[in-house]
Amino acid sequence: MNDSMVYLVVWAHKQPAVLSKNQNIYRRGKVNQHCDVGQQCQVWKLAWESYELDHFQLTLSRIMDPFKLKRALNGVLPVLKPHGITSAQLLNKLKEKLAEELSGTITTQDIKIGHGGTLDTTATGVLTVGVGDGCSKLKCFLHGEKSYLARCQLGIATDTYNETGRIIMEKEFGHVTKDILQESLHQFQGRIKQTPPIFSALKRKGRRYSDLARDGVDFDIGPRVVHCYELKLLDFEPPNFTMTIVSGPGFYVRSLIHDLGQAVGSCAHLSGLQRTRQGPFTLHHSLHEDEWRLENVINNIARFRKKIDKYYKSYESNKRYDRW
């Protein structure tokens, strides 16, 4: 096969048709994509396996010129954040992997990338990533619903409200029963006032709270109105317990567990956190770190395009309201 040609195999109602240079692909009238490749084109060996495009299945064996490649890298996809790195470090790592595959075609500076809501360094789970023009739609994830699985420990409080911090209090927890813990959850549901942790990514006069705290700067943090839609206690084996949370924007699970410990007459901290859902995306949808490759990123951007458009339209039409 000549490297200046692009061959695409399209199955329409199980009838194969081979399209060669300068022919078009019909995509429900929305896209009229030419398959021509210029002399300066660098051909990429990508495999888009079993990608459903309305009534078509499209397998691309060789694609794209730089313009088309850059256009394909516009959208939103969920990735699985691993333990031990910040959300910003995840973006840099993903960007480096894409840049390595795109070497000689698209520069690192050409790849715009962002995320739809920070996860703590020790937290894992769904992180929505915007690429190119997809970054403009990340606000609906920042302000949208999120679900978490939280592992917690009674009897110990830390300055960060999680397992990474310095112990600042130890208190008896033997009197805390499952019923007491369950009953105390009610006061944290609905529209509530919550004080964020001092060690957080929130900013004051351009500096993060966590940086100010490490520098010994004394400052007050006021409570903020946040939304907690659902709290469920899954198991209780003192001093440990596990619960699920469904919350709105600006909600800190660390603060919830810290405040819950005080509410039951003891203290507590968050010992592990996993975001199980962000907007329409779950763990099942998310790309694992070993899957952070160019072809998978392009495939998932295309795969979730309709889901994202629908979610974004719903956000735009309902952002003036909340569930309370």
Side-chain angles (χ1 to χ4, degrees), residues 20-280:
S20 61
K21 190 175 181 181
N22 296 322
Q23 290 184 298
N24 299 328
I25 305 171
Y26 175 66
R27 295 188 179 182
R28 293 286 292 250
K30 296 179 181 178
V31 179
N32 198 22
Q33 177 182 335
H34 290 274
C35 303
D36 60 292
V37 182
Q39 291 183 350
Q40 300 300 317
C41 167
Q42 182 168 350
V43 180
W44 290 90
K45 297 178 180 179
L46 302 180
W48 285 9
E49 296 289 343
S50 300
Y51 163 51
E52 291 188 3
L53 191 58
D54 297 329
H55 297 297
F56 296 112
Q57 273 191 321
L58 182 63
T59 299
L60 303 175
S61 59
R62 294 188 172 198
I63 194 174
M64 294 175 170
D65 66 23
F67 174 76
K68 292 176 183 175
L69 197 52
K70 193 172 180 180
R71 186 175 62 185
L73 285 170
N74 281 301
V76 178
L77 73 155
V79 301
L80 194 67
K81 180 192 170 297
H83 180 276
I85 63 172
T86 67
S87 299
Q89 288 171 335
L90 180 150
L91 293 183
N92 290 334
K93 198 169 186 178
L94 178 58
K95 192 172 184 178
E96 287 171 4
K97 289 193 174 189
L98 293 177
E100 184 178 349
E101 290 192 64
L102 293 166
S103 177
T105 303
I106 295 178
T107 66
T108 306
Q109 290 73 21
D110 289 329
I111 305 173
K112 183 181 178 183
I113 195 167
H115 65 72
T118 301
L119 277 172
D120 292 336
T121 303
T122 56
T124 63
V126 184
L127 185 70
T128 303
V129 172
V131 184
D133 293 344
C135 292
S136 64
K137 294 186 176 179
L138 291 176
K139 60 183 178 181
C140 67
F141 295 96
L142 284 167
H143 299 287
E145 282 187 13
K146 305 167 186 72
S147 299
Y148 298 94
L149 176 66
R151 292 175 293 279
C152 320
Q153 183 178 342
L154 287 166
I156 296 176
T158 70
D159 56 357
T160 61
Y161 296 179
N162 68 6
E163 78 279 20
T164 67
R166 177 176 56 88
I167 295 176
I168 57 174
M169 181 186 294
E170 294 187 57
K171 202 168 183 180
E172 176 59 40
F173 58 86
H175 64 283
V176 182
T177 65
K178 185 175 182 179
D179 288 340
I180 289 174
L181 195 61
Q182 183 72 61
E183 184 63 30
S184 298
L185 293 180
H186 297 305
Q187 63 186 284
F188 298 104
Q189 287 188 260
R191 183 190 284 113
I192 63 171
K193 286 186 176 182
Q194 183 189 72
T195 302
I198 193 169
F199 288 91
S200 67
L202 296 174
K203 292 185 177 181
R204 180 185 178 88
K205 295 181 179 180
R207 295 192 63 194
R208 290 185 177 221
Y209 284 7
S210 54
D211 294 335
L212 293 170
R214 290 187 182 98
D215 289 344
V217 178
D218 189 23
F219 61 98
D220 293 326
I221 303 176
R224 307 186 305 170
V225 175
V226 294
H227 298 85
C228 184
Y229 301 120
E230 185 179 292
L231 292 174
K232 285 185 179 179
L233 182 63
L234 297 184
D235 61 66
F236 180 65
E237 297 180 3
N240 302 307
F241 63 97
T242 305
M243 56 189 298
T244 58
I245 302 106
V246 180
S247 67
F251 187 90
Y252 276 88
V253 177
R254 284 185 285 147
S255 290
L256 167 69
I257 305 308
H258 177 82
D259 296 343
L260 180 60
Q262 294 179 338
V264 296
S266 181
C267 59
H269 71 276
L270 182 68
S271 57
L273 183 68
Q274 182 182 54
R275 184 189 283 163
T276 57
R277 181 177 65 88
Q278 185 175 21

